[in-house]
Amino acid sequence: MAMSKAVRRRRPPASLAVAVDLVIFTVRNGRLQVLLIERGNLPYRGEAALPGGFVRDGEALGAAARRELREETGVGGGSLHLEQLHAYGEPGRDPRGRIISIAYLAFGPDLPVPQAGTDASAAHWIPVSSVLDGQITLAFDHEEILRDGLERVRSQIEHTTIAAAFCKEPFTIADLRQIYEAVWGVPLDPSNFRRKVMKTEGFVVPIGERRSPDIGRPAALFRRGLAKTLTPPLTRLGSIAQLLADDEKLT
């Protein structure tokens, strides 16, 4: 009898759908930018959103993320650093029903101009600052996903050499510094930054050539090294503290 009561009290499993959303970063014109689409379908038709869509039957999550990126924006994901960011499944996050989204993070150097497709009516690179300061609002919970992706990238370039993935090779130390400045959103002292980079074995490798600037001394050119981690790390707080200390010396 007890067993039959337990069976009667058992609830049917909730009806769930699985989607993927993508936070794609690049640095264009010295600014950190994110790839956004204009939704062509309900809900939130005409509003800005991250690229993404539903996972098909029998489709792996990573394959779904790359397919949605290609179909909605025309940007190929084969050469991008792509990783899972987080799962988002709060009830009510999507008016269509209970939808769990697996967010993916990707970034690369100066990615191409996107071309809208499938259910996206437009696709654009947008400065991340335009979302953070409220100029652009995103559909669903995509601002939360964007902020989580931004924090992941900011943390990663503190502890790993992944910032060099934003640079087209060959690059200068100034090019690399501009990536840190764009991602962190703070200016860095050039001399201090160069010293830290050059002290990290395998971060960058000189190629024995120089880039001739319009004005000043030609800058040495580098490629990415084999190192994966930064020891010691290039921390945001440390960089800001050094900048403030340098400013204090000038006053």
Side-chain angles (χ1 to χ4, degrees):
M1 182 65 68
M3 178 67 72
S4 62
K5 289 181 179 180
V7 171
R8 286 198 300 269
R9 287 197 299 265
R10 192 176 298 163
R11 294 181 178 180
S15 177
L16 297 175
V18 179
V20 290
D21 288 306
L22 295 112
V23 187
I24 314 297
F25 290 124
T26 195
V27 175
R28 297 171 67 87
N29 302 318
R31 303 180 71 182
L32 183 66
Q33 305 204 21
V34 64
L35 183 55
L36 298 180
I37 64 164
E38 180 182 316
R39 288 185 55 79
N41 297 331
L42 295 173
Y44 302 108
R45 178 181 291 164
E47 296 190 28
L50 297 171
F54 290 105
V55 179
R56 295 172 177 171
D57 288 343
E59 188 176 37
L61 292 174
R66 294 184 186 278
R67 174 182 55 77
E68 286 292 342
L69 177 62
R70 182 180 63 255
E71 289 181 353
E72 289 204 335
T73 71
V75 175
S79 61
L80 293 176
H81 173 83
L82 184 66
E83 64 181 63
Q84 279 193 23
L85 174 63
H86 191 62
Y88 298 83
E90 286 296 315
R93 65 175 298 272
D94 192 312
R96 293 170 293 187
R98 189 68 192 277
I99 297 174
I100 308 298
S101 180
I102 311 301
Y104 278 81
L105 173 68
F107 44 92
D110 196 20
L111 295 176
V113 175
Q115 301 293 325
T118 62
D119 61 350
S121 58
H124 304 282
W125 290 110
I126 300 295
V128 172
S129 59
S130 297
V131 178
L132 300 183
D133 63 15
Q135 294 183 48
I136 295 176
T137 57
L138 302 184
F140 306 104
D141 53 357
H142 287 187
E143 182 174 339
E144 178 187 357
I145 299 175
L146 170 60
R147 288 180 179 273
D148 288 347
L150 176 60
E151 183 56 35
R152 172 74 67 85
V153 171
R154 284 176 168 174
S155 177
Q156 283 188 339
I157 68 171
E158 288 184 318
H159 301 280
T160 76
T161 59
I162 202 67
F166 280 99
C167 295
K168 283 187 175 180
E169 293 184 322
F171 54 86
T172 67
I173 297 298
D175 293 333
L176 183 60
R177 188 185 77 249
Q178 289 169 4
I179 298 300
Y180 276 87
E181 291 177 333
V183 174
W184 283 348
V186 295
L188 302 175
D189 177 72
S191 298
N192 185 53
F193 179 82
R194 181 182 183 86
R195 182 168 59 252
K196 289 183 176 181
V197 169
M198 300 307 294
K199 284 175 62 177
T200 303
E201 184 176 357
F203 189 1
V204 297
V205 178
I207 66 171
E209 299 177 12
R210 291 181 175 271
R211 178 189 298 167
S212 297
D214 294 333
I215 301 175
R217 182 181 178 184
L221 291 171
F222 297 83
R223 61 174 174 81
R224 294 188 287 274
L226 298 178
K228 301 298 183 183
T229 60
L230 296 176
T231 307
L234 279 168
T235 61
R236 279 170 281 178
L237 293 178
S239 299
I240 295 171
Q242 181 64 51
L243 179 67
L244 293 175
D246 292 340
D247 287 345
E248 190 70 23
K249 292 176 184 178
L250 298 175
T251 58

